[in-house]
Amino acid sequence: MDVRICLLLAAEAGLALVLLWSAGVLRKPAHVLCAALLLAAAFVLRGLCLNYETSDYTQFLTVWVDFFRTHGGLAALREPVGNYNVPYLTFLALISSSSLSDLHLIKLLSIFFDVVLAWSVMQLVGLFRREAAWKLTAFFLVLFWPTVVLNGALWGQCDSVYASLAVLSIYLVLAGHPLLGVISIGAAFSFKLQAVFVMPVFLLFWLTRRVRLRHALAFPATCVVMVLPAVIAGRGLWDALTIPFQQTGSIGTGLNYNSSSAFALVTDMPDPELAAKLGIGAAALVIVLLAVWFWLRRNDCSDRALVLAAAVLAVAIPFFLPHMHDRYFFAADALTLALAAAWPQLTLPAVLCEFASLLGYHAYLRMRYLLPMADGALALIAALVILAAVLALELRQRSPLTGK
C-alpha cells in the first residue's frame, strides 16, 4: 500500500483522537492511551480492508473516476455520469487527478465519515448520558460495529456519509440548534436519497416545536449549495437538484435485493405492482401514525421519544418499501446502536437490526446466503415491536428509562 495512503489513514485516526479530546472525554493520560490503542485497532482493521475490490467498485466507481479523468475533472460534472448525487460525484472528480489509488481514496472518504458518525452518535448519547465513559463507549461501539467497518473500508460504499449527517441533524435539533439541524439533514439528503428514511422525524420535530417552519427554508438552500459544482460546470440547476429523484429508476424493479424487508418474507408474489403500492402505503402509514401520535402529545413529548421515533422510522420505512437493497438499513443500524449505547436495556433491537443487515452484506460480499433473508425480516419485525412498545411507554409515562 502506498505510504501516503497510510499517512492519510493515520491522519484520520489522529482526527478522531482530537475530536475525543475536544469533547472533554479524555481527562487523564490513561484515558488518552486507552483511546489511542482502541483507535489504532479500529484503523488497522480498516487498513487491512483497503485493498479489497468489489464489483460495485470495478463496474461503477472506478469507471466514473476514469470518466472524470478523461473528460476534464470537475468540468465533466455537467455530464449525467453515474447515479450518485453531485457532492459524491464532485469528490470522484476531484480524486480523478490524483496519482493515488482511487480505490483507497474512495474508502478513505467513507472512513472519515465513520469517524463523523461515531462522533455524532457520541454527541447524541451525551444528551442523555453525560459521563465520559458512556460517551466513549458510544464512540467506539460505532467504530467497531460490523456494518460500519464493512460498508466503507471493505465494500467502498458511502452510507456513513448520509447516516452521520442524519444522526448529527437529530443531535443538533435536540441540543437546541434547529437551523443547523435542518442544514445537516439537507446535506444528508444531498449526498444520498436514503436520508429520506430519517427525514420524517423533522415533521415530528415541527409538531413538537423543536423546529419552526422558518427553519425549513434552510433545506432547499442547502440542496442548492451542494449542487453548485455541477451548476458551475454547466449542468442545469433543476437537473442537478432532481438527481435524487432520477435515481429511483436505478434502484431496480425487483421487490427486494438481498434486503431484510417485508418482501423477503414472500418469494412468489402474484401481483408485484400491487405489492409495491401496498408497501409504499404501509411506509406512509407509519409516518402518519407517528405524526398523529406526536401531535397529540406535543406539549409533553420527551427528547427520548423523538430519538426512539427516529429509530422506528429508520427501520420501518425501508422495511415496508419495495426495491430495497442490502445496505439500506445502515441508518437504522446507527440509530438503534445509539439507543443501545444510551440505554443498554435497548441492546436487543440494535443486535436484531445488525443481524438483519449482516445477512444482506454476507449475500453480496460472499455471493451466497448465510441464512434466508426472511430470517432478517423477522428480526426487524421483532425490533420494531420492541421499539414501538418502548416508544408507547415513553409517550405515556414520559420517563420509563433511566437517564435524563
Side-chain angles (χ1 to χ4, degrees):
M1 189 188 303
D2 193 312
V3 66
R4 292 172 294 176
I5 295 296
C6 294
L7 290 174
L8 288 172
L9 189 64
E12 292 184 343
L15 172 64
L17 191 62
V18 169
L19 287 174
L20 290 175
W21 178 269
S22 64
V25 294
L26 303 179
R27 297 171 181 170
K28 298 179 180 179
H31 296 164
V32 177
L33 178 60
C34 183
L37 290 173
L38 287 171
L39 284 170
F43 278 81
V44 167
L45 177 62
R46 284 165 169 79
L48 295 173
C49 298
L50 287 185
N51 289 331
Y52 186 83
E53 296 182 7
T54 67
S55 59
D56 279 350
Y57 167 74
T58 57
Q59 296 177 20
F60 301 105
L61 295 176
T62 193
V63 174
W64 300 340
V65 173
D66 285 339
F67 179 88
F68 287 119
R69 186 177 293 121
T70 56
H71 289 77
L74 289 171
L77 287 171
R78 64 179 177 271
E79 305 291 340
V81 58
N83 61 355
Y84 274 69
N85 293 359
V86 170
Y88 192 70
L89 292 175
T90 302
F91 168 75
L92 296 183
L94 287 171
I95 67 171
S96 67
S97 61
S98 173
S99 61
L100 295 173
S101 161
D102 57 35
L103 172 67
H104 294 155
L105 291 175
I106 286 168
K107 291 187 175 186
L108 283 175
L109 176 71
S110 297
I111 292 170
F112 170 81
F113 278 97
D114 287 352
V115 175
V116 178
L117 178 62
W119 184 83
S120 299
V121 169
M122 180 185 74
Q123 294 296 91
L124 182 60
V125 170
L127 294 176
F128 307 96
R129 303 289 190 176
R130 301 192 182 279
E131 299 88 349
W134 287 92
K135 296 179 182 179
L136 284 169
T137 299
F139 186 90
F140 285 107
L141 274 175
V142 173
L143 278 191
F144 284 101
W145 207 235
T147 48
V148 175
V149 176
L150 293 174
N151 187 280
L154 189 74
W155 199 333
Q157 293 293 342
C158 59
D159 295 279
S160 61
V161 180
Y162 87 85
S164 63
L165 293 170
V167 175
L168 179 61
S169 73
I170 296 170
Y171 159 71
L172 288 169
V173 170
L174 297 183
H177 308 290
L179 180 61
L180 292 177
V182 173
I183 292 172
S184 186
I185 196 65
F189 177 76
S190 296
F191 264 99
K192 210 157 192 186
L193 181 61
Q194 283 74 41
V196 298
F197 302 153
V198 181
M199 279 172 55
V201 77
F202 276 76
L203 172 61
L204 307 185
F205 287 155
W206 174 66
L207 290 171
T208 56
R209 302 183 183 90
R210 266 75 169 183
V211 170
R212 302 295 182 180
L213 278 178
R214 65 179 181 273
H215 298 134
L217 295 174
F219 184 88
T222 301
C223 293
V224 169
V225 170
M226 297 291 276
V227 302
L228 283 180
V231 175
I232 293 171
R235 193 163 187 172
L237 176 61
W238 182 251
D239 186 34
L241 285 172
T242 56
I243 288 177
F245 305 101
Q246 298 167 22
Q247 289 178 7
T248 56
S250 67
I251 292 175
T253 57
L255 289 175
N256 184 39
Y257 293 92
N258 295 329
S259 166
S260 295
S261 72
F263 297 98
L265 296 169
V266 183
T267 55
D268 186 19
M269 192 71 66
D271 191 342
E273 186 175 347
L274 175 61
K277 291 178 180 178
L278 290 173
I280 294 170
L285 181 61
V286 170
I287 298 171
V288 170
L289 290 176
L290 282 174
V292 172
W293 202 358
F294 274 79
W295 182 78
L296 292 173
R297 301 305 302 268
R298 62 192 179 278
N299 294 322
D300 60 350
C301 173
S302 69
D303 288 351
R304 272 185 302 243
L306 287 161
V307 178
L308 281 162
V312 169
L313 289 165
V315 177
I317 293 177
F319 178 76
F320 288 114
L321 286 180
H323 321 309
M324 296 294 97
H325 288 241
D326 28 39
R327 297 173 287 104
Y328 285 7
F329 289 96
F330 192 87
D333 296 342
L335 284 168
T336 53
L337 182 58
L339 289 173
W343 302 288
Q345 58 266 52
L346 290 178
T347 297
L348 183 55
V351 172
L352 290 170
C353 286
E354 185 70 358
F355 167 75
S357 287
L358 284 174
L359 289 184
Y361 279 56
H362 185 278
Y364 176 83
L365 294 171
R366 300 302 299 272
M367 293 300 166
R368 63 182 178 85
Y369 291 107
L370 178 66
L371 295 169
M373 295 308 301
D375 291 354
L378 293 173
L380 290 181
I381 290 173
L384 277 172
V385 169
I386 295 169
L387 291 172
V390 175
L391 176 58
L393 287 172
E394 181 66 27
L395 287 173
R396 182 175 300 176
Q397 301 175 13
R398 182 62 185 261
S399 297
L401 301 174
T402 27
K404 179 181 172 182

